[in-house]
Amino acid sequence: LTLTTTSLDGEDEIVWLDDVEDVGQTSWNEALTAVAYVELGRNDAQLVMLQEGEDAVDVGDEFAEIDLVRFLPDGETVWVVARVDENDDEEGLYLNAAGDPLLEEDSIRLVGQSDDGENVLIVTDNGRELALFVYNVDSETVTEVVEEDIIEDVFYVAEDRLLAIAGSGDRWKILSANPDGTEPIELFDDNDFTINSSYWLPEANKLVVQLADEDELTSLFVTSLETEDGYFLLEQWDSIRLLAASEDALIFQAREDRGDDWRLYSIPLE
């Protein structure tokens, strides 16, 4: 493997790896001042770190397999998802490839992080259920947010709330939590609907959720993020297409009943 970074004008070039053999996963930090890669031996895998202008250094322990390498937002710490023994049923999540695993499960995925980089989102799969965890970089703690058959979507809104859409069988829920995953609140939990989509309205500080029932009729559910105060804005329309929102109203195109003409509507959010 050869790995090179270069400025857009082609003037500044750094060759990090030059035709190196037996290289597995690679990663680099956002500032492009460090590169991490896996050196593959006959029966082992070793994490190696390269700092700009310095020699390569082995980091952490040897593993039978290292399946994932990613830098944390601090640009210095590195995640690895690895197996100590190739016959292990579970893989572990390690910081800098050392110490006890933060998590152990059949499958571990890093799915995102907060805008400030302080919290990292992790989804695990044990073959029966998925679980969402948040790792807080400052406190070095791992918090479980939800465990369900399906985790449809996870994202941060308004810079200070985490939202997760998850389901188990015919029952779907929307949860809100602090950025570090603590104090989750169920904003929606119902087995009569499936969740088609959700829209964060910063102008109104509200979340709008588009739902479908067993007859494929559409309803709109509105909620804030920090309290269980949700309500149905519209129920059992044939079809709704959200277009825009103001601080106090929602604009949408819709047919109330099948066969109706499409019309343009406005409705107060309260």
Side-chain angles (χ1 to χ4, degrees):
L1 181 72
T2 295
L3 177 62
T4 304
T5 57
T6 182
S7 60
L8 294 181
D9 60 11
E11 295 295 326
D12 300 315
E13 182 178 276
I14 300 174
V15 179
W16 297 89
L17 299 173
D18 186 8
D19 201 21
V20 178
E21 295 182 351
D22 302 322
V23 174
Q25 291 278 331
T26 59
S27 183
W28 44 86
N29 62 7
E30 186 175 359
L32 292 178
T33 58
V35 167
Y37 68 94
V38 177
E39 185 178 73
L40 300 173
R42 179 172 296 179
N43 298 306
D44 56 45
Q46 173 71 55
L47 180 67
V48 180
M49 182 79 78
L50 275 167
Q51 299 284 349
E52 186 176 351
E54 299 180 11
D55 294 334
V57 177
D58 290 351
V59 176
D61 305 322
E62 289 185 351
F63 292 87
E65 299 175 1
I66 297 179
D67 298 324
L68 178 75
V69 177
R70 290 288 186 276
F71 274 90
L72 261 70
D74 64 10
E76 299 176 357
T77 310
V78 179
W79 296 108
V80 299
V81 175
R83 298 180 193 272
V84 176
D85 188 284
E86 63 181 5
N87 296 318
D88 287 347
D89 293 331
E90 296 181 333
E91 54 189 14
L93 179 66
Y94 299 84
L95 287 179
N96 289 330
D100 296 327
L102 298 174
L103 293 168
E104 287 185 293
E105 205 54 86
D106 292 356
S107 174
I108 300 173
R109 292 182 292 128
L110 308 182
V111 298
Q113 65 185 43
S114 57
D115 290 341
D116 59 13
E118 292 183 3
N119 299 288
V120 180
L121 303 175
I122 304 159
V123 171
T124 65
D125 185 352
N126 63 12
R128 300 177 304 277
E129 287 185 314
L130 304 180
L132 169 65
F133 294 87
V134 180
Y135 175 77
N136 182 264
V137 175
D138 290 339
S139 63
E140 299 183 353
T141 56
V142 177
T143 302
E144 181 175 329
V145 180
V146 63
E147 188 174 20
E148 293 288 349
D149 292 347
I150 302 170
I151 296 178
E152 184 72 20
D153 204 1
V154 184
F155 52 97
Y156 283 97
V157 295
E159 297 183 356
D160 59 356
R161 296 300 289 178
L162 168 66
L163 277 177
I165 299 174
S168 181
D170 295 330
R171 194 170 197 92
W172 284 87
K173 61 178 64 174
I174 298 178
L175 297 103
S176 170
N178 292 328
D180 61 0
T182 58
E183 300 180 9
I185 301 168
E186 287 190 0
L187 302 177
F188 178 84
D189 185 0
D190 201 301
N191 59 359
D192 293 328
F193 300 94
T194 57
I195 298 173
N196 283 348
S197 54
S198 60
Y199 307 88
W200 170 244
L201 306 179
E203 303 88 350
N205 202 36
K206 298 282 188 183
L207 182 75
V208 177
V209 185
Q210 195 159 343
L211 307 167
D213 62 19
E214 61 181 6
D215 297 321
E216 297 185 1
L217 295 175
T218 301
S219 299
L220 293 182
F221 183 81
V222 178
T223 179
S224 61
L225 298 182
E226 300 180 8
T227 56
E228 299 178 54
D229 59 358
Y231 54 91
F232 281 92
L233 191 65
L234 292 173
E235 295 186 70
Q236 295 187 306
W237 283 48
D238 176 64
S239 189
I240 298 172
R241 298 174 184 167
L242 298 183
L243 300 177
S246 66
E247 187 175 341
D248 53 13
L250 191 67
I251 314 298
F252 60 97
Q253 178 183 354
R255 294 189 307 212
E256 188 169 2
D257 296 304
R258 194 156 298 168
D260 287 353
D261 291 335
W262 284 95
R263 299 186 179 185
L264 185 65
Y265 291 91
S266 173
I267 186 172
L269 275 168
E270 296 301 331

